[in-house]
Amino acid sequence: MCGIVGYAGYREALPILIDSLKRLEYRGYDSAGVAVVEDSVKIVKDKGYIANLESQLPQLRGVVGLAHTRWATHGAPSKDNAHPFYDCREKIALAHNGIIENYAELRDELKAHGHTFRSQTDTEVLVHLVEQSYAGNLEDAIRKALARCTGTYAIAVVHADEPDKLVAARNFSPLIVGLGAEENYVASDVPALLKYTDKVLYVMDREIVVLRPKSVQILDFEGRPVAREPQRITWSLEDAERGGFDHFMLKEIFEQPQAIHNTLLGRMTEVDTNGFFQDVTSVKLVACGTSYHASLVGKYVLEEVAKVPTTVELASEYRYAPTPTEQPLVILLSQSGETADTLGAAREAKRRGCKTLGITNGVGSSLTRETERTMYTRAGLEIGVAATKTFTAQLVALYLVAIRMGLDRGALSPEDANRLRDELRALPRHVQTVLNQADPIADLARAYAGARDMFFIGRGINYPVAMEGALKMKEISYIHAEAYAGGELKHGPLALLTPDTPVVAVTVRDRNYEKMMGNVGEVNARGSPVIAVGTEGGRDLPRFVEHVVYVPKVRDLLYPVPVSVVFQLLAYYAARKRGCPIDKPRNLAKTVTVE
Amino acid sequence: MKAIILAAGEGARMGPFTVSEPKVMIPVGNRPILEYVVEALVENGIHDLVFVTGYRRERIQSHFEDGRKFHANIEYAVQEKQLGTMHAVWEARGHLQGAFLVVNGSNYVDAQAIADLLNVGTGPALLITESEAQEKYGVVSLSGHYVDKIVEKPRHPEGNLINTGVYAFDASALSLMESLLNEGQYDLPSLVQALAAKNRVRAVRTKGTWLDALYPWDLLKLNSHVLGGIADVQSGTIEKDVTLRGKVAIGEGSRIRSGTYILGPAVIGRGCEIGPNIVIYPSTSIGDNVKVQAFTAIENSILMNDVLVGPHSTIAHSVVGSGVRVASNLMASADRANAHVEGEWHVVDPIGGLVGEDTEIRDGVVIEPGSLVGARCRIGALSRVRGNVPNGTTVM
């Protein structure tokens, strides 16, 4: 199986061809090549992946061309056997998907006519046959050539003498035409074209199609024109890339065990900082949005593990605040590494003479250039606008930084560091345990999806987790959600509680458990339904609250990870019940590159 | 040609190893069984795959995504209720045009076996193999090269040819399927029977490999088979005075500490800490993010992801599920023993311990050969575990 793409339009063909070809790489991957029509026909090809071809492409400006990715059938994977192929005079380039069954006899015949073959492929006979038949019109030549062949094929052909034309033909192997505005495409499969157009023509067996920038004509093998209605593709590239999940957000929630694995990978024994943290006397965490919530959790972690005084600021505030004399280590967190306010804050921190460390998921992003050191969260590409896996990966990165800093500053013993690392190793499992409960959590979310307002409460390290839970709920389900520290309810928010305002409470078995249960009591007294997140094995919660979701028992410091996964699932399923556009909430963009 | 891969089942006989993931995702040689199936199809040029998923389908989707990483184009269909294999194929009918293959995602199959099936040409066909455990399978009787009948799980089997669950069908099979489903038949063998009655169904005996894993100890056999094909590639950090013999694969970010002795074939995943002074004997797979502490010996075993094994432990012919945590001095040595699964006794020789995911084992625990410890159990210090321990049990 091979893949073909072709383009005839007004833009430079090369980048479009390469991009489309990558979408077909699943069809074959032992060699790849491209042909573009300029004054002459230029072919570049090599064995290996498309990326290998891409690395050696010259500048080609032509607006008509074709490309091919190959899976060897006849002839070994090699540069010589890669498509496209030239004819003897290098005027024609042809790429082929399929098998020419009678190629051996055709080859002998063509050789007898003086044609020179440069590969061991069955395909090369096609290009010489076309050359043999060519009399000024490419589609006629192809029609005559194909009449001589038996087998299966989809082909794409260009000729230097007809530079605005791309001709393709099909017999059994798949081929579709994509229709654009003054540009047209062919490809072996729909995904190759989805980025450019959703309007396609299906080419049938024994048909030839002639593409020019402004026209597409389908002919049968007798040369008679065929009428065909274009069809609209209703699925998007994203449907394909979501890999069975209904939304990117859900896919990314379920990727968290792997994202945590990858973030821990190779760093359990060392975060390579070479004593960077040794002389740190205080830390300032600076971020926006979800990263700001991760920073608030980080404050508890750094203070407890590294015993270092830590403050947290919003990047947009830090930039314009007065300059204090103190010079803390400034840690900047940004999922993309391109957040304008965070980049501005990084420059400001440098101006103030502070050491800077960036934590980001954006490999090679601007933040890595604006900070002295970078630590990557290796969560993989996140497409859903609501941050999920990058949030938990940021938490894991902060635990790792805290351990290193604790060791460097002599605030953490190697034994305690080891114990904490062993517990970090277990985090992917704890997240999986929460994911295994997605169905009951979904039921709960659906039951309360009709709420107008919702409150999230937590204490200590789980207070920022409640804030993140409220943010998730707001941004994707559009339910008005607020977070309060448990002890703050009585200072005002209790006035808002009614039997119609569900309260989500973090009541895990940590040092704040008794206090939190007191707050749950206050809520109960107002008749508001409570959804509690408790620790597995605890038995008393169901006596006080309507609903309990259990997370595994971990040390106090680590609860933010499993608890935030519960909140992600709650928000996701509530939004789904409400029919919200989960991956693209209104008025929000994934990366905020404006100030 | 498309291939439908059946991946909806839970795999109840796998006991505690399918609490978090479906049977097709159980790792052998550090890769899910399903990955070998995909690889066998892709090697034969079959890139368009339809996974029929059900139980814990997110685990499959998270791993395979759209298939690009595996050079395949994967679409997903859902079988909400696992009524049977033909019903599963029916649930994927919207993805089908023309002839198609059906492959069971929880059986190991190699490229040769798929090639043998493809090479017989068009028309319905069924891959068969010889087995001594006929009573657990559909036994196929032949007339010439064609299927005469399939008898499911016979008490007194005729012959030793069994149905591997790998089929080729053409588009006409779908209409027949519909009428059979209406009659309340849900399994593919009944479709083969019906096709054989009308037409002929070719039975293809393969020279390739087909291996089934019915019970947890079968995973060890599969594991040792696939480890035969691993690449001898070491990433990560290998400290001095580490001895590696035979084929040993070590993943990125792992650290193998001094004094460790590893006899291949063995595979160690990414981000592991092994040692110091560990002995790993052949046919051992150690997953990602695993830590094994000093003076531990591991032989012919599978340790899945995120396992922590404390010092001075012995683990032989054992399967240790993801997230198991052992404090120290675990004895799980192997012998000929009776194992009890789903109401049946099986004599297995040799077998060690089978420990389900996320179980915590305190110091000095002995797991007797053939014992099956459930998922999320807590086994107290100095306990001796004999026989089966249900999921979630605390043993003091």
Side-chain angles (χ1 to χ4, degrees):
Chain A
M1 192 160 99
C2 308
I4 297 177
V5 296
Y7 174 81
Y10 59 90
R11 293 188 275 173
E12 276 184 27
L14 192 60
I16 296 170
L17 291 170
I18 294 294
D19 179 67
S20 305
L21 199 61
K22 282 182 183 164
R23 303 279 170 201
L24 294 180
E25 199 163 23
Y26 74 87
R27 299 178 69 88
Y29 43 86
D30 65 35
S31 55
V34 58
V36 173
V37 187
E38 299 197 306
D39 303 334
S40 59
V41 174
K42 305 265 173 33
I43 290 182
V44 187
K45 59 188 185 179
D46 202 354
K47 67 175 179 181
Y49 292 99
I50 294 167
N52 178 44
L53 174 71
E54 204 177 359
S55 67
Q56 48 184 304
L57 287 176
Q59 190 91 11
L60 294 175
R61 300 227 171 270
V63 295
V64 173
L66 54 93
H68 185 271
T69 178
R70 176 167 186 253
W71 172 251
T73 50
H74 288 71
S78 70
K79 184 170 178 169
D80 284 341
N81 290 339
H83 300 218
F85 291 103
Y86 277 130
D87 62 329
C88 296
R89 284 170 297 171
E90 303 197 349
K91 288 197 144 204
I92 307 173
L94 179 146
H96 166 223
N97 167 21
I99 294 167
I100 302 301
E101 285 161 2
N102 58 337
Y103 81 100
E105 50 188 275
L106 290 171
R107 192 181 168 113
D108 293 343
E109 181 192 317
L110 286 160
K111 275 186 178 167
H113 278 94
H115 289 270
T116 323
F117 283 78
R118 304 173 220 197
S119 79
Q120 294 103 47
T121 64
D122 54 338
T123 300
E124 203 183 346
V125 301
L126 283 173
V127 72
H128 293 288
L129 271 180
V130 175
E131 180 183 24
Q132 181 90 4
S133 323
Y134 189 78
N137 180 303
L138 186 56
E139 56 269 30
D140 286 347
I142 289 172
R143 198 155 46 81
K144 283 179 199 143
L146 292 179
R148 303 283 322 276
C149 299
T150 57
T152 65
Y153 46 80
I155 58 169
V157 194
V158 290
H159 196 296
D161 294 346
E162 295 174 81
D164 70 333
K165 190 192 276 180
L166 171 77
V167 183
R170 161 181 178 168
N171 192 32
F172 287 111
S173 300
L175 191 70
I176 54 161
V177 171
L179 304 173
E182 307 205 351
E183 48 185 350
N184 295 302
Y185 312 79
V186 289
S188 300
D189 198 359
V190 176
L193 303 183
L194 280 173
K195 189 168 163 188
Y196 302 100
T197 180
D198 61 353
K199 229 165 101 183
V200 302
L201 291 173
Y202 287 96
V203 182
M204 300 297 154
D205 286 342
R206 300 181 62 77
E207 286 182 351
I208 293 175
V209 50
V210 183
L211 287 93
R212 288 190 179 86
K214 294 184 187 176
S215 72
V216 171
Q217 190 184 24
I218 298 179
L219 306 166
D220 65 15
F221 269 21
E222 278 70 51
R224 295 177 298 233
V226 178
R228 176 94 12 96
E229 282 299 306
Q231 297 195 15
R232 227 167 249 291
I233 302 289
T234 52
W235 50 287
S236 66
L237 196 53
E238 291 178 6
D239 286 325
E241 290 182 340
R242 283 199 306 263
F245 287 95
D246 292 333
H247 295 94
F248 279 113
M249 181 179 176
L250 190 64
K251 176 171 186 277
E252 286 153 6
I253 290 172
F254 274 90
E255 278 168 2
Q256 287 178 108
Q258 194 58 47
I260 295 172
H261 262 168
N262 291 344
T263 302
L264 290 175
L265 185 66
R267 290 151 160 178
M268 292 303 287
T269 43
E270 60 218 284
V271 177
D272 34 357
T273 49
N274 308 326
F276 186 64
F277 296 139
Q278 236 150 26
D279 52 354
V280 169
T281 52
S282 65
V283 174
K284 187 178 283 293
L285 294 158
V286 179
C288 307
T290 291
S291 299
Y292 174 68
H293 293 150
S295 304
L296 290 170
V297 173
K299 171 186 160 69
Y300 290 88
V301 176
L302 287 167
E303 291 191 337
E304 186 165 328
V305 176
K307 309 275 185 297
V308 59
T310 304
T311 53
V312 186
E313 276 190 68
L314 287 163
S316 53
E317 295 295 322
Y318 173 79
R319 295 176 65 185
Y320 308 113
T323 313
T325 49
E326 196 199 350
Q327 292 181 326
L329 164 69
V330 176
I331 303 180
L332 299 116
L333 290 90
S334 164
Q335 180 277 129
S336 62
E338 302 294 348
T339 311
D341 280 321
T342 311
L343 293 175
R347 284 188 285 270
E348 176 63 18
K350 245 190 308 188
R351 198 189 60 75
R352 293 183 193 179
C354 301
K355 277 187 168 184
T356 53
L357 168 71
I359 298 180
T360 180
N361 199 42
V363 176
S365 59
S366 304
L367 187 65
T368 65
R369 291 189 294 277
E370 298 288 355
T371 50
E372 282 170 67
R373 297 289 172 96
T374 308
M375 180 169 180
Y376 286 115
T377 53
R378 299 183 188 135
L381 184 65
E382 189 174 70
I383 296 170
V385 167
T388 50
K389 61 176 180 173
T390 54
F391 174 72
T392 45
Q394 278 175 347
L395 297 183
V396 170
L398 287 165
Y399 292 126
L400 291 171
V401 166
I403 291 174
R404 186 71 258 166
M405 201 183 290
L407 287 168
D408 281 1
R409 300 179 75 244
L412 181 70
S413 71
E415 301 81 69
D416 287 342
N418 263 338
R419 210 165 302 136
L420 183 51
R421 282 178 185 140
D422 285 348
E423 291 172 35
L424 285 183
R425 278 188 186 285
L427 278 179
R429 294 304 308 167
H430 297 326
V431 169
Q432 186 59 47
T433 304
V434 174
L435 294 175
N436 289 352
Q437 302 173 71
D439 288 345
I441 294 172
D443 290 342
L444 262 180
R446 285 190 280 263
Y448 291 102
R452 200 191 61 174
D453 308 292
M454 205 178 269
F455 293 94
F456 286 71
I457 57 173
R459 277 176 182 257
I461 197 167
N462 291 314
Y463 168 45
V465 179
M467 294 167 75
E468 173 60 13
L471 176 63
K472 285 282 98 73
M473 192 59 82
K474 273 187 278 214
E475 67 180 340
I476 62 160
S477 78
Y478 308 155
I479 295 174
H480 167 244
E482 293 296 335
Y484 290 100
E488 282 296 295
L489 281 181
K490 57 184 174 292
H491 297 293
L494 278 184
L496 293 170
L497 292 186
T498 69
D500 299 323
T501 43
V503 175
V504 183
V506 187
T507 53
V508 291
R509 276 279 183 183
D510 64 0
R511 63 182 79 128
N512 295 313
Y513 177 72
E514 306 296 336
K515 292 276 174 215
M516 273 307 298
M517 290 311 288
N519 299 134
V520 166
E522 293 169 359
V523 174
N524 274 339
R526 272 77 193 171
S528 307
V530 175
I531 300 168
V533 181
T535 300
E536 204 175 50
R539 295 215 168 78
D540 45 351
L541 273 171
R543 288 194 280 134
F544 300 104
V545 302
E546 276 83 352
H547 311 286
V548 190
V549 177
Y550 290 106
V551 298
K553 178 159 183 51
V554 290
R555 76 158 71 189
D556 290 7
L557 217 50
L558 300 184
Y559 274 115
V561 174
V563 173
S564 55
V565 177
V566 175
F567 289 171
Q568 292 163 2
L569 289 167
L570 270 179
Y572 172 79
Y573 287 108
R576 204 171 148 149
K577 171 83 179 172
R578 293 165 71 97
C580 299
I582 291 174
D583 285 330
K584 295 196 172 69
R586 68 183 174 217
N587 308 338
L588 296 178
K590 180 76 188 156
T591 304
V592 186
T593 53
V594 292
E595 299 184 351
Chain B
M1 189 189 275
K2 279 193 180 182
I4 295 190
I5 301 183
L6 308 181
E10 175 181 343
R13 282 180 291 195
M14 282 293 167
F17 300 104
T18 56
V19 170
S20 288
E21 47 206 356
K23 186 176 168 188
V24 297
M25 291 302 290
I26 295 179
V28 290
N30 282 3
R31 297 161 68 195
I33 299 171
L34 180 51
E35 219 181 287
Y36 298 99
V37 177
V38 168
E39 195 175 81
L41 290 163
V42 169
E43 272 186 45
N44 279 288
I46 298 176
H47 297 257
D48 292 317
L49 311 180
V50 184
F51 285 7
V52 183
T53 58
Y55 176 75
R56 297 252 182 267
R57 64 193 177 98
E58 297 86 1
R59 298 287 288 169
I60 301 174
Q61 293 167 188
S62 286
H63 185 81
F64 288 94
E65 300 181 303
D66 62 359
R68 210 177 305 168
K69 270 186 269 174
F70 305 89
H71 304 296
N73 177 33
I74 298 172
E75 297 167 284
Y76 293 87
V78 181
Q79 186 190 23
E80 295 287 357
K81 277 201 182 123
Q82 279 88 61
L83 296 175
T85 48
M86 181 166 64
H87 175 253
V89 174
W90 183 249
E91 295 289 1
R93 66 192 177 280
H95 298 271
L96 291 173
Q97 308 128 342
F100 59 95
L101 296 187
V102 179
V103 187
N104 188 330
S106 61
N107 295 154
Y108 174 89
V109 63
D110 69 2
Q112 180 64 52
I114 300 291
D116 288 341
L117 186 68
L118 293 173
N119 285 340
V120 297
T122 55
L126 162 67
L127 198 70
I128 56 172
T129 190
E130 290 174 16
S131 169
E132 297 313 316
Q134 306 99 306
E135 70 284 356
K136 296 191 175 67
Y137 299 95
V139 172
V140 183
S141 24
L142 303 181
S143 67
H145 288 300
Y146 297 90
V147 175
D148 179 32
K149 62 176 187 207
I150 305 177
V151 186
E152 286 303 311
K153 299 174 182 147
R155 281 224 186 143
H156 307 288
E158 290 172 36
N160 64 348
L161 296 174
I162 61 155
N163 174 7
T164 63
V166 182
Y167 308 88
F169 293 112
D170 45 36
S172 66
L174 281 173
S175 53
L176 189 54
M177 228 182 258
E178 186 165 19
S179 55
L180 288 169
L181 286 166
N182 287 335
E183 291 166 24
Q185 310 225 46
Y186 294 108
D187 279 304
L188 285 169
S190 54
L191 175 64
V192 172
Q193 291 277 19
L195 284 169
K198 286 173 60 179
N199 246 307
R200 296 203 295 183
V201 179
R202 181 76 187 245
V204 182
R205 219 187 287 206
T206 179
K207 300 184 286 290
T209 308
W210 175 87
L211 291 169
D212 189 15
L214 279 175
Y215 301 101
W217 49 88
D218 294 331
L219 296 172
L220 295 173
K221 258 182 274 171
L222 250 183
N223 187 55
S224 87
H225 178 80
V226 302
L227 286 181
I230 58 163
D232 196 15
V233 181
Q234 287 114 34
S235 321
T237 311
I238 298 169
E239 295 183 356
K240 72 175 169 75
D241 300 326
V242 168
T243 306
L244 305 177
R245 290 269 165 82
K247 282 204 278 184
V248 179
I250 297 169
E252 185 196 339
S254 286
R255 177 175 281 267
I256 314 296
R257 295 214 161 87
S258 280
T260 296
Y261 200 103
I262 305 179
L263 288 168
V267 51
I268 293 168
R270 307 188 312 151
C272 295
E273 280 179 69
I274 308 293
N277 297 315
I278 303 293
V279 186
I280 295 175
Y281 292 102
S283 299
T284 294
S285 293
I286 293 180
D288 291 344
N289 190 34
V290 171
K291 181 170 172 180
V292 182
Q293 289 175 281
F295 309 114
T296 289
I298 303 174
E299 177 185 351
N300 188 41
S301 294
I302 300 174
L303 274 62
M304 297 182 191
N305 293 346
D306 309 309
V307 170
L308 190 154
V309 179
H312 294 282
S313 299
T314 299
I315 297 174
H317 298 266
S318 298
V319 182
V320 179
S322 300
V324 168
R325 304 167 83 70
V326 174
S328 76
N329 292 282
L330 168 68
M331 278 293 151
S333 49
D335 202 349
R336 179 186 166 89
N338 289 308
H340 190 237
V341 170
E342 291 273 296
E344 288 174 46
W345 287 98
H346 303 267
V347 179
V348 193
D349 187 18
I351 184 172
L354 307 164
V355 185
E357 60 176 49
D358 297 319
T359 281
E360 192 182 339
I361 298 175
R362 301 304 305 167
D363 306 271
V365 170
V366 176
I367 297 178
E368 298 239 338
S371 302
L372 183 62
V373 180
R376 312 191 70 73
C377 294
R378 294 168 66 88
I379 313 293
L382 300 176
S383 305
R384 175 171 167 219
V385 179
R386 190 171 193 181
N388 292 1
V389 178
N391 291 348
T393 309
T394 300
V395 177
M396 300 304 283

